[in-house]
Amino acid sequence: MINKHSYTGKTYEEAVNKAKIDLQELEENLIINTKEEKKTLLSKKLEIEVIEKREVKDYLKKLIKSLLKDMGFDVEIEITVNNDTPTYRLYSTNDAILIGKDGKNLKALTTVVNAILTKEINTNYRFLIDVSDYKEKNDRRIERLAKKLAREVKMTKVEVKMDSMNSYQRRLVHNILNNNKYVYTESVGEEPNRCVVIKPRD
């Protein structure tokens, strides 16, 4: 279980300041949910629920390890943090099974962990799960492909539709080509067949 702390104040800022002082943490290291707001003619009281991100990070590691142990996998987990997003890199003797065809098992594991975590902390929390460096290699492959297709679109002035991708992969393509002077990107279609179209700028 994750420790959840409650604080009250006349304003959101006052309640948050109490949390920061009590927990000795910066606001950026806290997950804050507004629980209740009570107003009367003479007073106003706001209650917030606060969770420390470091606790969520540790909880996730234990949760992933426990789920995989129940499925018969003995894994080592390495955590790295980039742009406030932790990546849980799994190492096992069955990496291929953990990843699955086209990463389907890895995606399913991420979906299950995300559902359990969201229910526990009552908000979205961004994290990534990788097996060895499968996702990292896949990200680099998508980056190379996006740049290659962008060069083709720049030369031919003809838009290109990429293969279907999940939301994470689509966002990756959008970010890679976001500042490109010659092309822009749009997501089209319905899940699970939603994909990115690379279009020439006028």
Side-chain angles (χ1 to χ4, degrees):
M1 294 289 289
I2 295 175
N3 285 324
K4 299 168 186 174
H5 310 271
S6 291
Y7 299 93
T8 57
K10 291 178 182 176
T11 64
Y12 176 84
E13 289 75 17
E14 183 182 315
V16 170
N17 281 333
K18 286 182 180 178
K20 284 157 61 179
I21 292 167
D22 183 48
L23 298 172
Q24 295 286 292
E25 278 287 7
L26 298 172
E27 189 172 344
E28 65 204 47
N29 296 326
L30 303 173
I31 295 170
I32 302 167
N33 294 319
T34 301
K35 277 184 75 177
E36 195 176 5
E37 191 173 2
K38 291 180 180 176
K39 287 183 180 177
T40 66
L41 286 173
L42 299 174
S43 67
K44 175 184 170 185
K45 189 173 84 168
L46 183 85
E47 184 179 358
I48 60 172
E49 182 180 81
V50 180
I51 300 167
E52 295 176 77
K53 285 184 180 178
R54 62 181 176 82
E55 283 216 9
V56 177
K57 199 167 75 171
D58 293 341
Y59 170 83
L60 270 175
K61 182 176 180 178
K62 290 172 186 171
L63 174 62
I64 294 166
K65 196 148 189 155
S66 173
L67 283 172
L68 290 175
K69 188 177 181 181
D70 289 345
M71 293 163 63
F73 292 98
D74 185 24
V75 299
E76 292 298 319
I77 302 177
E78 176 187 281
I79 306 174
T80 55
V81 180
N82 186 28
N83 294 328
D84 203 33
T85 302
T87 294
Y88 296 81
R89 193 163 277 106
L90 315 182
Y91 298 94
S92 79
T93 55
N94 294 297
D95 284 356
I97 297 173
L98 276 176
I99 294 165
K101 183 175 169 55
D102 298 325
K104 284 184 179 176
N105 292 350
L106 178 56
K107 184 181 177 184
L109 173 65
T110 302
T111 300
V112 170
V113 171
N114 187 52
I116 295 171
L117 179 66
T118 302
K119 187 176 180 182
E120 175 68 21
I121 67 175
N122 202 31
T123 190
N124 289 321
Y125 178 78
R126 184 164 161 69
F127 66 92
L128 299 171
I129 301 177
D130 202 355
V131 176
S132 293
D133 56 357
Y134 166 78
K135 187 168 278 189
E136 193 176 313
K137 283 180 179 175
N138 205 39
D139 288 356
R140 287 201 295 268
R141 181 187 63 78
I142 290 171
E143 182 176 350
R144 286 195 300 271
L145 179 61
K147 288 178 176 177
K148 176 176 175 284
L149 293 176
R151 286 194 296 271
E152 289 178 11
V153 172
K154 175 192 168 185
M155 297 290 290
T156 63
K157 305 294 183 191
V158 178
E159 67 180 48
V160 170
K161 182 186 282 189
M162 300 182 74
D163 290 339
S164 301
M165 290 186 284
N166 61 40
S167 59
Y168 168 80
Q169 292 167 331
R170 293 196 305 271
R171 186 167 59 247
L172 193 61
V173 174
H174 292 313
N175 289 340
I176 288 162
L177 300 179
N178 188 40
N179 296 318
N180 192 295
K181 293 188 290 185
Y182 305 102
V183 304
Y184 68 99
T185 58
E186 283 183 4
S187 287
V188 298
E190 300 296 325
E191 297 289 5
N193 300 313
R194 198 159 166 78
C195 61
V196 175
V197 179
I198 303 174
K199 299 183 177 184
R201 292 189 187 274
D202 294 333

